[in-house]
Amino acid sequence: MFLRNCWYVGAIDHELIDGKLLSRTLLGDHVLLYRGDSGAVIALNDRCPHRGALLSHGRREGDAVRCMYHGIKYDGSGKCVQIPGQDMIPPRLRVRSYPVVERRPFIWVWMGDPALADPAKIVDLPYLSDPQWKGLPAYLHYDANYLLIVDNLSDFAHLAFVHTGTLGGSEEYAYVSKPKPIERLERGFRVERWHYDSDVPPFHKKVIPEKSAKVDRRNIATMLIPGIFTMETLFVPAGQGAQPDSFAGARQYRNCQFMTPETERTTHFFWSYLNNYEGDDSTISRSLLNSLIEGFMEDKAIIERQQKTLDDDPKFEMLAILSDGPLVHFRRVLDKQIEAERAATASPPAESRRAETATS
Amino acid sequence: MFLRNCWYVGAIDHELIDGKLLSRTLLGDHVLLYRGDSGAVIALNDRCPHRGALLSHGRREGDAVRCMYHGIKYDGSGKCVQIPGQDMIPPRLRVRSYPVVERRPFIWVWMGDPALADPAKIVDLPYLSDPQWKGLPAYLHYDANYLLIVDNLSDFAHLAFVHTGTLGGSEEYAYVSKPKPIERLERGFRVERWHYDSDVPPFHKKVIPEKSAKVDRRNIATMLIPGIFTMETLFVPAGQGAQPDSFAGARQYRNCQFMTPETERTTHFFWSYLNNYEGDDSTISRSLLNSLIEGFMEDKAIIERQQKTLDDDPKFEMLAILSDGPLVHFRRVLDKQIEAERAATASPPAESRRAETATS
Amino acid sequence: MFLRNCWYVGAIDHELIDGKLLSRTLLGDHVLLYRGDSGAVIALNDRCPHRGALLSHGRREGDAVRCMYHGIKYDGSGKCVQIPGQDMIPPRLRVRSYPVVERRPFIWVWMGDPALADPAKIVDLPYLSDPQWKGLPAYLHYDANYLLIVDNLSDFAHLAFVHTGTLGGSEEYAYVSKPKPIERLERGFRVERWHYDSDVPPFHKKVIPEKSAKVDRRNIATMLIPGIFTMETLFVPAGQGAQPDSFAGARQYRNCQFMTPETERTTHFFWSYLNNYEGDDSTISRSLLNSLIEGFMEDKAIIERQQKTLDDDPKFEMLAILSDGPLVHFRRVLDKQIEAERAATASPPAESRRAETATS
């Protein structure tokens, strides 16, 4: 059960170059994504309604796509515009289309009722289009439900044990510090946490000259429905963290991660990790890309095994500890929205609108 | 749900040489096929009723087969004839046998009530045994229900898009021509179609000297229950097609294809593609074999993906277009026969006869 | 459905060296096995009750283990002893532990109610710890229910057909001899069988100098609940078998095999095949190890195919012949014990004891 009336990242712009017909399952729907000759990105259900052949195995013609089984052609809105050997086109022979908004470098897709697709609802992340901030958007696939990744990101405690040698830096952090209270938001939570006078964590040490100095590190993380995680990270020389008005020598990062369900058991994971200090030295963002992949792989092994454990024993109920406060809150607000959406869909007017949508 | 009271191709003669114990699933039944010392081809259920070991892992002894787990031996009718260490043979210890008829090069197996197995019901294809016609019988396995292959063969329109560079030759064919009406038969359909003044399609061009001349091409295709497709193809120099009495310079092909369900989701595909003009030049039938495999592989990719699409979403209903007339008719007559068979089986007398068969 | 209140072999001692955290599924439970610094072998449920991460992916600390997702630590009894960042430890945060007894080289695990775990119930096999008897304990995995392996071992007849060239020696044995009556035991059966004046079977011929002499061979086999097979084998020169008081030149083997269910469809198979005559010539036990593996592989191919046959057609009922007496008896006494255990578990007092156990 997914929240459908919201925007999900469906692709990165570089995945659609050269007219690529990209087949990607989003929330269980098989979706064909491509950039038409007009420049617009188009999202259609990836199935010819005639005999079920994949449109992604077809041929793009301008903004349209032709099924290469019997040659039936659909325009970018999903409307059938040609049946070889047949003049009359039955109106039911349509492909469902999905609203798309491009916010470089990410392509956002609306998976619910098109009438409700308001681009203003897309989360605003200005650093993604700010030339001062540099980063390389990237993709990973997880064999796990997206909420297990949300859980993972909702608890800083795992940094100490899972990422000791990569993103974290030391187990000691976990033993001496206590979970911070979170700021509860209507669509998620925000948490701010300082770690004072600590060693420089490995991913950061690789890209800075001052490798042995102690640092104060501040993380401000936000998790928003349906699975949008951002984290602003700031490093200052140890001691400056206590003087919030003088972050002169700060090095900063902007981390954004988008979890889009592929199926109930698999997830598309898009992210970009940006820094504001590399200038023309692109080795920094490339090193950071590799460091993040290294860290995510540590999470991935655990999270995918969790999924297997849950599949193995559906009766298993996880037991929360104190640091699970944020993820418990997030699941609660998400469940509430899904429930509200389900109730709205079940009521007569919305239902008839949806039925129309399904064939439009 | 399959039609059981009919003949299916179960093997090609060359598959049974050298005493091979061939294990093949037909209509969901695990069948052991072999040629006994007497020369007869024998079909038995491939399971020892004692502990369930495979008889195909056993040892052929004359026309009999011995299970090599505990040494129990069955004759060609499935009757147990020896239990090592035990004198009395319990009558229930029998293996089901299936009626077999050999019509070189194909082995036909009757999957239903043996009492109804009439060899006269096997489709007569005289060119298969006519020395004038040359061809190499062959086999492919499909991960798809056999009716999806029947569908594919029931619509010439796909030649233009799927087989442009192999069996078809041009997309233009699809745009300019209209579907032809079919001749509805009690057990299938027949369709005849001319394509005048066209380029020589690639598979044919490879094996003839007159590569650049235009041709008139006639296809007469027949599809019969349960999944028997034949097509007579004739090429004459362009212009002669309109003069049906003078096919002097004709080059002709006989195509026969047999779709035998392995399971609900997989199919055995047997075929032979014959020509009547190669004489002693066997490179022609070998080239045609390769061209056909090349073409079938194009279909196979689409058809197997269709099966996945149907598995993914069992609620998906395909929408017919005009050119689907033949396949709609075929499915209708097949469903009628399956329904009739089910009704007959459910009635008491037939039921008791079947029960007897199952243990005989 | 397994018998849980009994001891199963869970591992071989050499599998636990160097602090190895061994993850092994036993009777469907995911179990972590390891040797703590105290020398004791510990068996815990291999799942952190917090978020379900595998403890076998964690870190051993003394006799304790730490989950390396969020750092929670459990002692050898499964009690939680540390939650980083949290002082209060909720009592429910416990891991189930299993009673373990080590009898070199095998590790026995009690899969049922710990209150009933009596080490005296472990079968006594003195030759396993007798320096006179030499053998190499080993392991195989079967993709089959453990009872299909029990069945296999319960019938000497298969030696003639499956192991003609390895452990058996000749088909003639099966044709001339009759099944022997078995001695029915409360927890299984015992059978004794002589084979007089026979060729030396291949596995034995490899390791003895007198290769062409005829021998008398005696096998005394015992099968005990839940799946413990032992066989004492004795070879004497042909003719001496009839004079039971003079086994002077005898060569003897002790074979013990332990079938432990992994799941309903898979099995852990532990064994050791010992001889009492090799002295310092370890090539003999190594040759025997290889011969046994060779023989087991012959069984494995058949048994795993049997499992597929049963999965394919759950309605298939095997038909017993005379030589199936032992396995029929074994399944009967096992079923009776499982039924008794189920009844005891269902009664109120036992139930409350079990519930306590599950969380202890």
XYZ file of all heavy atoms in Angstrom, chain A residues 23 30 46-54 57 59 61 66-72 82-87 90 92-94, chain B residues 148 151-152 155 157-158 161-162 171 174-175 177-179 302-303 305-306 309 312-313 316-322 324 327 331:
513
model
N 12.448 1.780 -19.174
C 11.364 1.038 -18.526
C 11.662 0.952 -17.039
O 12.715 0.453 -16.648
C 11.293 -0.379 -19.112
O 10.268 -1.094 -18.484
N 4.277 -0.435 -14.224
C 5.365 -0.462 -15.194
C 5.282 0.816 -16.022
O 4.304 1.034 -16.734
C 5.259 -1.691 -16.080
C 5.285 -2.965 -15.284
N 6.366 -3.323 -14.508
C 4.364 -3.939 -15.108
C 6.111 -4.461 -13.899
N 4.897 -4.856 -14.237
N 3.870 1.209 -19.455
C 4.742 0.510 -20.407
C 4.111 -0.794 -20.898
O 4.659 -1.878 -20.712
C 6.096 0.223 -19.748
C 7.093 -0.347 -20.753
O 6.826 -0.259 -21.963
O 8.125 -0.884 -20.307
N 2.928 -0.662 -21.490
C 2.247 -1.875 -21.962
C 1.283 -1.485 -23.061
O 0.396 -0.651 -22.841
C 1.491 -2.505 -20.790
C 0.851 -3.820 -21.100
C 0.301 -4.451 -19.840
N -0.908 -3.785 -19.377
C -1.508 -4.001 -18.212
N -0.988 -4.869 -17.359
N -2.597 -3.366 -17.894
N 1.441 -2.069 -24.214
C 0.502 -1.818 -25.300
C -0.826 -2.483 -24.945
O -0.863 -3.683 -24.655
C 1.052 -2.395 -26.608
S -0.068 -2.146 -28.002
N -1.922 -1.713 -24.942
C -3.210 -2.309 -24.535
C -3.728 -3.345 -25.537
O -4.670 -4.064 -25.218
C -4.141 -1.101 -24.437
C -3.493 -0.015 -25.201
C -2.026 -0.282 -25.223
N -3.117 -3.425 -26.702
C -3.570 -4.401 -27.695
C -3.226 -5.827 -27.246
O -4.103 -6.577 -26.839
C -2.959 -4.069 -29.076
C -3.179 -5.130 -30.105
N -2.177 -5.598 -30.915
C -4.297 -5.813 -30.448
C -2.673 -6.540 -31.720
N -3.952 -6.682 -31.455
N -1.936 -6.186 -27.235
C -1.553 -7.548 -26.843
C -0.580 -7.562 -25.680
O 0.008 -8.618 -25.369
C -0.942 -8.316 -28.026
C -1.764 -8.386 -29.291
C -3.078 -9.101 -29.132
N -2.942 -10.509 -28.808
C -3.963 -11.286 -28.425
N -5.178 -10.773 -28.300
N -3.782 -12.544 -28.149
N -0.358 -6.410 -25.049
C 0.484 -6.392 -23.847
C 1.981 -6.332 -24.119
O 2.769 -6.520 -23.195
N 2.396 -6.104 -25.358
C 3.835 -5.971 -25.609
C 4.371 -4.712 -24.916
O 3.618 -3.768 -24.656
C 4.113 -5.904 -27.113
N 5.655 -4.703 -24.615
C 6.254 -3.554 -23.939
C 6.452 -2.408 -24.922
O 7.067 -2.586 -25.975
C 7.619 -3.930 -23.363
C 7.670 -4.929 -22.222
C 9.081 -5.001 -21.657
C 6.686 -4.550 -21.116
N 10.044 -1.640 -25.637
C 10.713 -2.392 -26.700
C 10.301 -1.861 -28.073
O 10.629 -2.467 -29.092
C 10.368 -3.882 -26.598
C 11.015 -4.569 -25.441
N 10.885 -5.911 -25.185
C 11.819 -4.089 -24.463
C 11.571 -6.230 -24.094
N 12.132 -5.141 -23.635
N 9.496 1.776 -30.617
C 10.342 2.752 -31.307
C 9.780 4.145 -31.049
O 8.589 4.380 -31.234
C 10.334 2.453 -32.806
C 11.247 3.349 -33.629
C 11.347 2.830 -35.053
N 10.100 2.936 -35.770
C 9.812 2.264 -36.896
N 10.690 1.418 -37.416
N 8.664 2.427 -37.478
N 9.025 7.866 -31.928
C 8.872 8.659 -33.147
C 8.441 10.052 -32.716
O 7.267 10.276 -32.429
C 7.834 8.018 -34.081
C 8.212 6.588 -34.490
C 7.253 5.951 -35.504
O 6.316 6.650 -35.959
O 7.449 4.765 -35.823
N 5.901 3.899 -30.940
C 5.206 2.874 -31.711
C 5.531 1.501 -31.135
O 6.694 1.153 -30.937
C 5.653 2.911 -33.180
C 4.887 1.926 -34.073
C 5.416 1.882 -35.501
N 5.323 3.121 -36.218
C 4.211 3.580 -36.829
N 3.099 2.861 -36.778
N 4.226 4.738 -37.471
N 4.502 0.730 -30.842
C 4.680 -0.660 -30.424
C 5.208 -1.445 -31.624
O 4.640 -1.375 -32.711
C 3.358 -1.253 -29.941
S 3.494 -3.011 -29.527
N 6.290 -2.200 -31.450
C 6.870 -2.896 -32.590
C 6.414 -4.353 -32.683
O 7.092 -5.187 -33.305
C 8.394 -2.779 -32.569
C 8.880 -1.370 -32.925
S 8.330 -0.778 -34.583
C 9.566 -1.587 -35.631
N 5.248 -4.674 -32.100
C 4.673 -5.992 -32.355
C 3.768 -5.908 -33.589
O 4.030 -6.521 -34.614
C 3.927 -6.495 -31.121
C 3.617 -7.986 -31.122
C 2.976 -8.592 -30.034
C 3.976 -8.812 -32.185
C 2.703 -9.962 -30.016
C 3.705 -10.180 -32.177
C 3.065 -10.743 -31.093
O 2.794 -12.092 -31.085
N 2.699 -5.055 -33.498
C 1.822 -4.906 -34.659
C 1.784 -3.471 -35.187
O 0.930 -3.118 -35.976
C 0.409 -5.393 -34.316
C 0.372 -6.827 -33.890
N 0.470 -7.195 -32.567
C 0.299 -7.986 -34.609
C 0.436 -8.528 -32.482
N 0.341 -9.027 -33.692
N 2.688 -2.623 -34.677
C 2.868 -1.299 -35.261
C 1.931 -0.213 -34.767
O 1.867 0.869 -35.361
N 1.228 -0.431 -33.680
C 0.300 0.585 -33.173
C 1.090 1.738 -32.532
O 2.052 1.502 -31.813
C -0.701 -0.043 -32.173
C -1.468 -1.166 -32.883
C -1.644 1.007 -31.601
C -2.411 -1.945 -31.981
N -2.373 5.678 -34.558
C -2.298 4.886 -35.787
C -2.379 3.387 -35.500
O -1.711 2.877 -34.592
C -0.996 5.167 -36.554
C -0.982 4.517 -37.944
C 0.328 4.737 -38.688
O 1.386 4.854 -38.071
N 0.267 4.803 -40.004
N -3.233 2.700 -36.287
C -3.255 1.235 -36.285
C -3.025 0.803 -37.733
O -3.890 1.007 -38.579
C -4.609 0.670 -35.812
C -4.970 1.199 -34.423
C -4.589 -0.847 -35.806
C -6.359 0.768 -33.952
N -1.872 0.234 -38.056
C -1.623 -0.155 -39.447
C -2.707 -1.109 -39.953
O -3.052 -2.086 -39.266
C -0.265 -0.857 -39.379
C 0.410 -0.256 -38.204
C -0.704 -0.007 -37.212
N -3.250 -0.800 -41.129
C -4.267 -1.665 -41.728
C -5.667 -1.433 -41.200
O -6.574 -2.210 -41.481
N -5.859 -0.391 -40.400
C -7.184 -0.146 -39.810
C -7.401 1.356 -39.699
O -6.555 2.070 -39.146
C -7.266 -0.811 -38.425
C -8.582 -0.595 -37.713
C -8.691 -1.424 -36.430
O -7.948 -2.372 -36.231
N -9.617 -1.066 -35.581
N -8.549 1.835 -40.209
C -8.781 3.281 -40.216
C -9.379 3.789 -38.909
O -8.980 4.817 -38.375
C -9.708 3.653 -41.379
C -9.071 3.296 -42.717
O -7.821 3.418 -42.827
O -9.787 2.854 -43.623
N -10.316 2.649 -32.031
C -11.256 2.547 -30.900
C -10.769 3.419 -29.740
O -9.588 3.380 -29.387
C -11.243 1.069 -30.524
C -10.094 0.447 -31.231
C -9.587 1.396 -32.276
N -11.034 3.209 -26.639
C -10.513 2.503 -25.463
C -9.034 2.140 -25.627
O -8.364 1.794 -24.654
C -11.296 1.218 -25.207
C -12.729 1.447 -24.743
C -13.479 0.117 -24.645
N -12.876 -0.786 -23.680
C -12.850 -2.108 -23.796
N -13.396 -2.692 -24.841
N -12.282 -2.868 -22.869
N -8.547 2.177 -26.857
C -7.150 1.807 -27.100
C -6.240 2.976 -26.722
O -5.714 3.688 -27.574
C -6.978 1.425 -28.579
C -5.806 0.486 -28.897
C -6.033 -0.894 -28.282
C -5.640 0.339 -30.399
N -6.101 3.198 -25.428
C -5.304 4.302 -24.905
C -4.314 3.750 -23.897
O -4.563 2.738 -23.240
C -6.187 5.277 -24.119
C -7.119 6.115 -24.924
C -7.691 7.194 -24.013
N -6.643 8.124 -23.663
C -6.592 9.381 -24.106
N -7.565 9.839 -24.853
N -5.593 10.166 -23.760
N -0.250 -17.997 -26.854
C 0.379 -16.741 -27.261
C 1.167 -16.938 -28.563
O 1.326 -15.997 -29.349
C 1.296 -16.210 -26.156
C 0.582 -15.747 -24.879
C 1.607 -15.287 -23.839
C -0.412 -14.632 -25.163
N -1.516 -17.074 -31.247
C -1.916 -15.691 -31.556
C -0.937 -15.050 -32.537
O -1.332 -14.426 -33.519
C -1.889 -14.821 -30.287
C -2.977 -15.173 -29.300
O -3.864 -15.984 -29.642
O -2.926 -14.644 -28.174
N 0.323 -15.192 -32.217
C 1.371 -14.577 -33.034
C 1.263 -15.030 -34.489
O 1.351 -14.226 -35.419
C 2.729 -14.967 -32.436
C 3.913 -14.588 -33.310
O 4.252 -15.327 -34.227
N 4.518 -13.446 -33.044
N -1.683 -13.704 -37.078
C -1.783 -12.341 -37.571
C -0.561 -12.000 -38.422
O 0.535 -11.821 -37.909
C -1.860 -11.386 -36.367
C -2.096 -9.959 -36.827
O -2.109 -9.716 -38.044
O -2.264 -9.101 -35.953
N 0.117 -9.318 -39.746
C 0.550 -7.933 -39.565
C 1.887 -7.851 -38.850
O 2.692 -6.964 -39.110
C -0.509 -7.143 -38.789
N 2.150 -8.776 -37.951
C 3.387 -8.673 -37.173
C 4.626 -8.914 -38.047
O 5.729 -8.508 -37.678
C 3.358 -9.627 -35.976
C 3.823 -11.011 -36.267
N 3.025 -11.973 -36.844
C 5.033 -11.603 -36.072
C 3.719 -13.086 -36.983
N 4.924 -12.902 -36.523
N 6.534 -5.646 -38.724
C 7.245 -4.929 -37.665
C 8.276 -5.795 -36.948
O 9.357 -5.338 -36.629
C 6.243 -4.328 -36.674
C 5.369 -3.303 -37.334
C 4.088 -3.618 -37.766
C 5.857 -2.020 -37.576
C 3.308 -2.679 -38.410
C 5.071 -1.078 -38.219
C 3.790 -1.407 -38.639
N 7.918 -7.032 -36.691
C 8.831 -7.900 -35.942
C 9.905 -8.467 -36.858
O 11.065 -8.604 -36.460
C 8.040 -9.054 -35.274
C 8.983 -9.988 -34.521
C 6.976 -8.497 -34.347
N 8.030 -2.641 -43.771
C 6.887 -2.169 -42.985
C 5.736 -1.733 -43.888
O 4.580 -1.764 -43.483
C 7.292 -0.972 -42.110
C 8.119 -1.349 -40.915
C 8.353 -0.182 -39.965
O 7.562 0.784 -39.990
O 9.334 -0.239 -39.202
N 2.440 -3.490 -44.137
C 1.413 -3.327 -43.106
C 0.575 -2.074 -43.317
O -0.633 -2.063 -43.059
C 2.063 -3.278 -41.731
N 1.216 -1.007 -43.809
C 0.484 0.250 -43.913
C -0.497 0.238 -45.096
O -1.569 0.813 -45.028
C 1.449 1.431 -44.058
C 2.349 1.607 -42.860
C 3.732 1.592 -42.986
C 1.816 1.772 -41.580
C 4.556 1.743 -41.886
C 2.634 1.925 -40.482
C 4.005 1.906 -40.626
O 4.809 2.061 -39.543
N -1.781 -2.563 -46.820
C -2.743 -3.650 -46.993
C -3.699 -3.741 -45.814
O -3.438 -3.249 -44.736
C -2.015 -4.971 -47.206
O -1.230 -5.265 -46.068
N -4.834 -4.368 -46.077
C -5.870 -4.530 -45.065
C -5.931 -6.010 -44.683
O -5.631 -6.870 -45.504
C -7.236 -4.118 -45.640
C -7.305 -2.671 -46.095
C -7.385 -1.732 -44.918
C -7.381 -0.287 -45.393
N -7.164 0.669 -44.316
N -6.369 -6.311 -43.453
C -6.541 -7.713 -43.079
C -7.500 -8.401 -44.042
O -8.471 -7.803 -44.500
C -7.126 -7.647 -41.669
C -6.748 -6.302 -41.159
C -6.702 -5.403 -42.351
N 9.318 -11.289 -27.763
C 8.062 -10.580 -27.515
C 7.071 -11.467 -26.757
O 6.435 -11.049 -25.789
C 7.435 -10.136 -28.853
C 8.323 -9.079 -29.511
C 6.013 -9.608 -28.641
C 7.862 -8.691 -30.902
N 6.946 -12.696 -27.197
C 5.928 -13.593 -26.638
C 6.246 -13.935 -25.184
O 5.360 -13.966 -24.329
C 5.826 -14.866 -27.509
C 5.254 -14.499 -28.891
C 4.993 -15.938 -26.829
C 5.365 -15.605 -29.928
N 7.891 -12.096 -23.146
C 7.622 -10.902 -22.340
C 6.129 -10.717 -22.125
O 5.708 -10.269 -21.061
C 8.262 -9.678 -23.011
C 8.373 -8.495 -22.075
C 9.163 -8.915 -20.822
N 9.178 -7.908 -19.769
C 8.133 -7.521 -19.054
N 6.945 -8.039 -19.253
N 8.271 -6.623 -18.091
N 5.332 -11.056 -23.134
C 3.870 -11.027 -22.970
C 3.440 -11.916 -21.806
O 2.588 -11.545 -21.007
C 3.205 -11.583 -24.232
C 2.787 -10.590 -25.263
C 1.977 -11.303 -26.345
O 2.484 -12.229 -26.977
N 0.740 -10.878 -26.539
N 4.063 -10.221 -18.631
C 3.083 -9.152 -18.433
C 1.766 -9.735 -17.915
O 1.147 -9.179 -17.001
C 2.870 -8.409 -19.771
O 4.087 -7.749 -20.115
C 1.741 -7.398 -19.677
N 2.264 -10.844 -14.339
C 2.353 -9.664 -13.486
C 0.985 -9.118 -13.114
O 0.769 -8.657 -11.993
C 3.040 -8.532 -14.265
C 4.482 -8.377 -13.891
O 5.012 -9.285 -13.248
O 5.082 -7.365 -14.272
N 0.106 -9.095 -14.070
C -1.177 -8.431 -13.881
C -2.279 -9.307 -14.480
O -2.696 -9.119 -15.625
C -1.147 -7.063 -14.583
C -2.462 -6.315 -14.409
O -3.362 -6.827 -13.704
O -2.597 -5.217 -14.992
N -5.208 -7.859 -16.509
C -5.045 -7.205 -17.811
C -5.843 -7.943 -18.885
O -5.726 -9.145 -19.056
C -3.559 -7.172 -18.186
C -3.305 -6.740 -19.608
C -3.809 -5.544 -20.104
C -2.558 -7.536 -20.457
C -3.558 -5.154 -21.416
C -2.300 -7.161 -21.772
C -2.806 -5.970 -22.248
N -6.692 -7.196 -19.585
C -7.443 -7.794 -20.694
C -6.997 -7.151 -21.997
O -7.101 -5.939 -22.172
C -8.948 -7.582 -20.500
C -9.509 -8.489 -19.423
C -11.004 -8.317 -19.266
O -11.669 -7.961 -20.259
O -11.490 -8.521 -18.144
N -6.541 -7.968 -22.917
C -6.074 -7.445 -24.189
C -7.261 -6.890 -24.972
O -8.381 -7.380 -24.858
C -5.379 -8.559 -24.963
C -4.219 -9.170 -24.182
S -3.145 -10.241 -25.188
C -3.471 -11.827 -24.397
N -6.998 -5.856 -25.762
C -8.046 -5.238 -26.577
C -7.835 -5.643 -28.030
O -6.764 -5.414 -28.592
C -7.958 -3.715 -26.462
C -8.499 -3.096 -25.183
C -8.231 -1.592 -25.155
C -10.001 -3.340 -25.069
N -8.849 -6.234 -28.654
C -8.696 -6.719 -30.020
C -8.785 -5.582 -31.032
O -9.535 -4.621 -30.844
C -9.758 -7.765 -30.318
N -8.012 -5.702 -32.112
C -8.186 -4.822 -33.268
C -8.695 -5.686 -34.431
O -8.874 -6.908 -34.260
C -6.875 -4.066 -33.622
C -5.742 -5.045 -33.916
C -6.487 -3.121 -32.490
C -4.452 -4.368 -34.378
N -8.910 -5.063 -35.569
C -9.530 -5.822 -36.663
C -8.751 -7.066 -37.042
O -9.316 -8.132 -37.281
C -9.683 -4.931 -37.909
C -10.764 -3.857 -37.851
C -10.888 -3.176 -39.206
C -12.113 -4.473 -37.446
N -7.238 -9.085 -35.422
C -7.291 -10.180 -34.455
C -8.435 -11.153 -34.726
O -8.641 -12.097 -33.952
C -7.429 -9.629 -33.026
C -6.185 -8.862 -32.591
O -5.084 -9.218 -33.070
O -6.300 -7.938 -31.782
N -7.502 -14.993 -34.560
C -7.167 -15.566 -33.249
C -8.385 -15.596 -32.331
O -8.534 -16.512 -31.506
C -5.968 -14.851 -32.623
C -6.071 -13.433 -32.067
C -6.522 -13.446 -30.609
C -4.711 -12.763 -32.157
N -9.603 -19.132 -30.642
C -9.792 -19.331 -29.194
C -11.229 -19.746 -28.894
O -11.482 -20.524 -27.974
C -9.422 -18.059 -28.418
C -7.911 -17.782 -28.473
C -7.480 -16.861 -27.341
N -6.023 -16.750 -27.310
C -5.318 -16.535 -26.209
N -5.933 -16.396 -25.049
N -4.013 -16.447 -26.243
